[in-house]
Amino acid sequence: MTCPANSHLKLTPQLIAEINRYLLVRTEIRKADLCLLFGSHRSAEARVQVTVRLWRDELVGRVLVTGGEYTASGQLEAHEMCEALVAGGVPRRHIILETCATNTGENVKFSVECLKGLGLYDAIGSVIAVGSASASRRYLMTLERHWPEVIKMIAPANKYPVDVADWPAHPEFAAEVLEEWGKTQPYLKAGYLCELNPETCPLIE
């Protein structure tokens, strides 16, 4: 698999097909013990909407929001997204906050530590991750690296006014996807990620 390092690539049909197959993965969504909501500056609203929908559909019983970066409003990502979740109907008592993580690896590592500290870790056998559609595989691969035994699903959030399948037609979406494409393999080689185990993360082909 080729691994471009920048967003100045020619989007040939072959490259688009390869990106769709490898990067923009899908999983079946079943009821899970936990929703792991990755903090964000750029797509917080879309991520919160996906999480609220999971809650309303009774697919998750707890939401762990992880994010220690400050937003434009001066709040931490986790705090700001928590308030949006509560406004959307998720009871505050069912939300856990992790407010120290500043990257995806820390999101997972610190969330695991948080759950262990609360005595909840052993009760979590399945997780639905919520984050940007373009980074779907990286979220799952980060979970595979730091929480290999848990069953992993992805509920992608898309902030753009086009379907995920139409990402090549939207310049900003395309740039985001190509940025992910360029860093996935270097992150894998550096040990930040692990390839997915089909036993704990079965993909929809």
Side-chain angles (χ1 to χ4, degrees):
M1 185 185 107
T2 57
C3 182
N6 58 60
S7 59
H8 304 291
L9 298 167
K10 182 177 176 60
L11 279 176
T12 64
Q14 181 181 5
L15 178 58
I16 291 170
E18 194 170 355
I19 289 173
N20 287 339
R21 178 192 64 78
Y22 184 78
L23 202 66
L24 305 180
V25 293
R26 297 180 300 139
T27 64
E28 182 183 356
I29 299 295
R30 304 187 307 276
K31 189 168 185 177
D33 299 317
L34 182 74
C35 171
L36 183 59
L37 174 55
F38 287 82
S40 170
H41 288 246
R42 297 183 296 177
S43 61
E45 184 178 353
R47 298 181 191 207
V48 166
Q49 288 175 355
V50 169
T51 304
V52 167
R53 189 161 60 247
L54 291 171
W55 175 264
R56 289 178 179 171
D57 291 344
E58 299 183 348
L59 287 166
V60 292
R62 286 193 183 94
V63 178
L64 196 163
V65 190
T66 169
E69 296 277 6
Y70 283 95
T71 68
S73 69
Q75 292 191 78
L76 290 172
E77 292 167 320
H79 289 156
E80 189 167 282
M81 295 174 86
C82 174
E83 294 307 313
L85 288 171
V86 171
V90 182
R92 195 180 298 272
R93 67 182 181 277
H94 292 281
I95 301 173
I96 303 166
L97 299 184
E98 185 292 302
T99 59
C100 296
T102 59
N103 59 56
T104 308
E106 289 182 352
N107 286 140
V108 177
K109 287 189 292 184
F110 294 173
S111 292
V112 167
E113 291 171 8
C114 180
L115 290 168
K116 287 180 177 177
L118 293 170
L120 296 172
Y121 178 78
D122 291 336
I124 306 298
S126 53
V127 170
I128 300 175
V130 175
S132 294
S134 59
S136 292
R137 189 177 192 103
R138 182 161 59 86
Y139 295 124
L140 294 171
M141 292 173 76
T142 305
L143 280 163
E144 191 69 53
R145 169 67 178 82
H146 299 290
W147 201 354
E149 67 277 11
V150 78
I151 300 297
K152 307 159 194 69
M153 294 166 272
I154 183 74
N158 176 17
K159 68 175 183 178
Y160 297 106
V162 297
D163 290 339
V164 173
D166 296 325
W167 66 266
H170 191 286
E172 189 179 350
F173 200 172
E176 188 177 299
V177 169
L178 288 172
E179 181 183 357
E180 284 293 330
W181 180 249
K183 65 189 180 186
T184 302
Q185 291 300 307
Y187 280 16
L188 182 60
K189 290 177 182 177
Y192 302 147
L193 311 173
C194 284
E195 273 297 0
L196 301 177
N197 177 357
E199 296 297 317
T200 58
C201 186
L203 301 179
I204 296 174
E205 298 297 334

